[in-house]
Amino acid sequence: MPETKSGIITNESGERHIPASKRADGSTRREIKIRPGYKPPEDVEIYKNRAAEAWKTRGSGEIPGAEGLKDDKGDGNTKASNKNAKRREARKKAKAASEQQDGAKEPVASPEEADSSTPAKSEAPNPGVEKEKQARNLRKKLRQAKDLMDRKESGENLLPEQFEKVIKINELIRQLDSLGFDADGQPKEPQ
């Protein structure tokens, strides 16, 4: 006698019914027979559009459509990942052996470490170079904002993001001034 979500029970002869039950006040509900072929809304499977579901869960940080892949994966070890893990282990062992052999010599950085974001030697950046970089970026933004302002004055409609850039022209000039550059992006003469 399998039971469905709606509470319909099918007996041995194939007849479907909702069994009698007691109400909270003590009275009894009678048994209800269900006609053949009827499927109540509770038992109808809802169609799920995968694209719509992916759109709803887009902010969860998961890759859209990857839900099915997670179930199929199993233990997650592929031939390529196993091979790469063995290579990493071999590199670590070789590095440890060379460090023990060299003793006082400086260890050679592996290609993975050479690509890392931390530099091998910690050099303090030149403040003049940093100011020049910031000024160059600000000059570029200022030039773009002035071009947009010219387009606006010529009667062209701007997007909201473009309009925000036009509004920030004075702020960009002020930032250039604080770095020691004039409105054109040229270094100010010491007074």
Side-chain angles (χ1 to χ4, degrees):
M1 291 195 315
E3 187 174 331
T4 62
K5 290 179 187 175
S6 60
I8 297 175
I9 297 175
T10 307
N11 61 14
E12 296 84 26
S13 63
E15 294 178 347
R16 298 173 358 145
H17 66 279
I18 298 175
S21 61
K22 284 209 177 235
R23 295 188 181 101
D25 63 357
S27 60
T28 58
R29 287 186 190 94
R30 63 180 181 84
E31 183 178 281
I32 302 171
K33 291 185 179 180
I34 307 297
R35 69 176 186 255
Y38 175 73
K39 200 169 200 178
E42 299 92 33
D43 292 345
V44 175
E45 289 187 29
I46 299 172
Y47 170 74
K48 292 186 179 178
N49 185 339
R50 287 192 333 212
E53 289 296 318
W55 180 255
K56 287 178 186 174
T57 60
R58 69 187 178 278
S60 64
E62 295 180 6
I63 300 171
E67 300 86 38
L69 296 177
K70 288 180 188 173
D71 299 338
D72 298 343
K73 211 166 198 181
D75 60 356
N77 290 338
T78 61
K79 285 183 181 181
S81 64
N82 289 338
K83 190 174 182 181
N84 289 335
K86 287 179 186 177
R87 283 183 181 170
R88 280 193 297 274
E89 279 299 315
R91 279 193 208 124
K92 285 180 185 178
K93 287 179 183 177
K95 182 180 175 186
S98 68
E99 284 178 359
Q100 288 176 352
Q101 238 177 15
D102 294 344
K105 285 186 180 178
E106 233 180 88
V108 178
S110 70
E112 293 169 351
E113 292 173 351
D115 293 342
S116 67
S117 61
T118 56
K121 296 179 183 176
S122 58
E123 296 177 6
N126 188 351
V129 173
E130 287 297 317
K131 277 188 177 182
E132 186 64 38
K133 259 184 166 178
Q134 289 177 350
R136 193 169 45 238
N137 288 338
L138 289 171
R139 279 194 300 255
K140 180 180 174 185
K141 289 179 184 178
L142 185 62
R143 184 181 70 243
Q144 290 173 345
K146 286 182 178 180
D147 289 345
L148 288 171
M149 186 171 66
D150 293 341
R151 285 172 49 187
K152 181 181 177 277
E153 288 174 354
S154 69
E156 190 175 330
N157 288 335
L158 298 179
L159 296 173
E161 306 88 38
Q162 294 172 327
F163 192 70
E164 288 175 17
K165 288 181 182 179
V166 171
I167 292 173
K168 292 182 179 180
I169 288 178
N170 290 332
E171 183 181 339
L172 293 170
I173 293 172
R174 184 183 52 76
Q175 289 176 351
L176 275 170
D177 186 47
S178 68
L179 289 173
F181 293 87
D182 62 7
D184 297 326
Q186 302 300 323
K188 287 185 178 178
E189 296 296 324
Q191 294 178 356

